[in-house]
């Protein structure tokens, strides 16, 4: 099994992903979670560059590669972690990234066998994230690198509506894809979680957050539906 790296979602720390990390390790995948703390996201607020996250991702990928006999790993990005991973795979300078001690520009994608995104908003109408996502989609549209297997997992759990219990989903979907009355995982609408040319999956009754008291993408009962794509 290839070593696997988990990149947490926006404003989330590594601790929330430890159960998923342990589940993958139990299945034979040497697994590493990028050791983010919630405060590590503060420099990125307001649509600012995600450079600090890319730095920690790169350090963790290098750690995982040291245990790989093939020179490749799997990369799992939850929520914003998915589109940040797409920046990491890329070879074009991302603000100051070309000045960082990252894997040589243009080489990172050669080390990724599979990029698997969980509830990632690959598009956005929200002005604070629009610049970053426009950079990603303008430079690396869809399943951009032929040598990388792209797998995008979406949840079909809540239909957004302007009524109690569904208003948060409606608002989040509208800010993401411009339409509130659609299906998604409560935060990310299905239409935003998929990429053209990727292997796109839809899972019923899966909630967005690893802190949800209900089933989320990394819950033990959901894991078998997508883990086979990492083998």
């Amino acid at each position: 099994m290839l070593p696997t790296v988990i990149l947490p979602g926006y404003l989330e720390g590594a601790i929330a992903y430890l159960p998923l990390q342990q589940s993958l390790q139990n299945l034979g995948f040497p697994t590493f979670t990028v050791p983010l703390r919630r405060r590590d996201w503060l420099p990125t607020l307001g649509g600012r560059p995600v450079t600090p996250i890319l730095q920690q991702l790169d350090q963790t990928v290098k750690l995982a590669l040291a245990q790989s006999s093939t020179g490749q790993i799997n990369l799992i990005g939850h929520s914003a972690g998915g589109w940040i991973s797409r920046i990491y795979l890329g070879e074009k300078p991302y603000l100051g990234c070309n000045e960082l001690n990252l894997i040589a520009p243009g080489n990172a994608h050669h080390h990724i066998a599979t990029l698997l995104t969980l509830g990632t908003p690959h598009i956005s109408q929200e002005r604070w994230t629009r610049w970053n996502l426009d950079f990603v989609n303008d430079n690396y549209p869809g399943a951009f690198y032929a040598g990388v297997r792209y797998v995008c997992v979406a949840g079909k759990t809540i239909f957004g509506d302007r009524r109690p219990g569904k208003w948060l989903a409606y608002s989040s979907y509208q800010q993401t894809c411009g339409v509130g009355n659609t299906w998604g995982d409560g935060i990310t609408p299905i239409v935003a979680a998929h990429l053209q040319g990727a292997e796109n999956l839809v899972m019923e009754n899966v909630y967005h957050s690893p802190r949800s008291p209900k089933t989320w993408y990394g819950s033990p009962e959901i894991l078998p539906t997508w883990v086979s794509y990492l083998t």
Side-chain angles (χ1 to χ4, degrees):
M1 300 292 191
L2 288 179
T4 298
V5 170
I6 301 169
L7 179 58
Y10 192 57
L11 295 178
E12 193 55 88
I15 192 169
Y17 298 84
L18 293 182
L20 172 57
Q21 176 179 314
Q22 187 61 57
S23 294
L24 289 169
Q25 288 175 337
N26 291 343
L27 292 172
F29 295 92
T31 305
F32 307 79
T33 301
V34 179
L36 295 173
R37 300 158 296 180
R38 284 185 161 182
R39 64 176 178 267
D40 291 332
W41 291 94
L42 295 180
T44 74
L45 294 179
R48 285 178 285 182
V50 293
T51 309
I53 309 303
L54 289 166
Q55 286 179 307
Q56 292 205 49
L57 170 60
D58 184 66
Q59 292 169 4
T60 309
V61 167
K62 287 173 178 172
L63 182 64
L65 282 171
Q67 297 195 20
S68 171
S69 60
T70 66
Q72 287 196 309
I73 65 165
N74 297 314
L75 181 54
I76 298 173
H78 172 241
S79 196
W83 60 256
I84 293 173
S85 295
R86 292 169 63 202
I87 294 176
Y88 179 68
L89 266 59
E91 53 203 84
K92 296 186 178 181
Y94 169 77
L95 295 182
C97 285
N98 56 328
E99 300 172 3
L100 301 175
N101 186 27
L102 302 178
I103 287 175
N107 286 340
H109 63 92
H110 294 298
H111 296 292
I112 308 301
T114 298
L115 171 61
L116 189 143
T117 66
L118 302 172
T120 291
H122 289 293
I123 58 174
S124 178
Q125 304 294 316
E126 205 273 326
R127 67 191 183 100
W128 297 118
T129 55
R130 186 72 180 267
W131 185 90
N132 276 309
L133 278 165
D134 282 353
F135 174 86
V136 175
N137 292 317
D138 289 346
N139 289 293
Y140 316 111
F144 187 76
Y145 289 106
V148 178
R149 185 181 195 182
Y150 291 77
V151 181
C152 300
V153 186
K156 185 180 180 181
T157 310
I158 300 176
F159 188 85
D161 202 355
R162 293 180 177 179
R163 57 190 177 92
K166 298 179 182 288
W167 179 262
L168 174 61
Y170 178 92
S171 177
S172 182
Y173 300 164
Q174 188 175 52
Q175 290 182 23
T176 303
C177 69
V179 178
N181 297 117
T182 189
W183 283 99
D185 61 14
I187 298 295
T188 302
I190 294 172
V191 67
H194 287 165
L195 285 174
Q196 185 175 359
E199 296 174 75
N200 294 312
L201 312 177
V202 176
M203 298 184 179
E204 304 273 350
N205 301 317
V206 172
Y207 288 83
H208 185 82
S209 174
R211 295 183 182 273
S212 171
K214 300 178 181 179
T215 302
W216 85 289
Y217 294 101
S219 295
E221 61 269 37
I222 299 299
L223 195 57
T225 62
W226 56 258
V227 73
S228 61
Y229 290 87
L230 300 180
T231 58

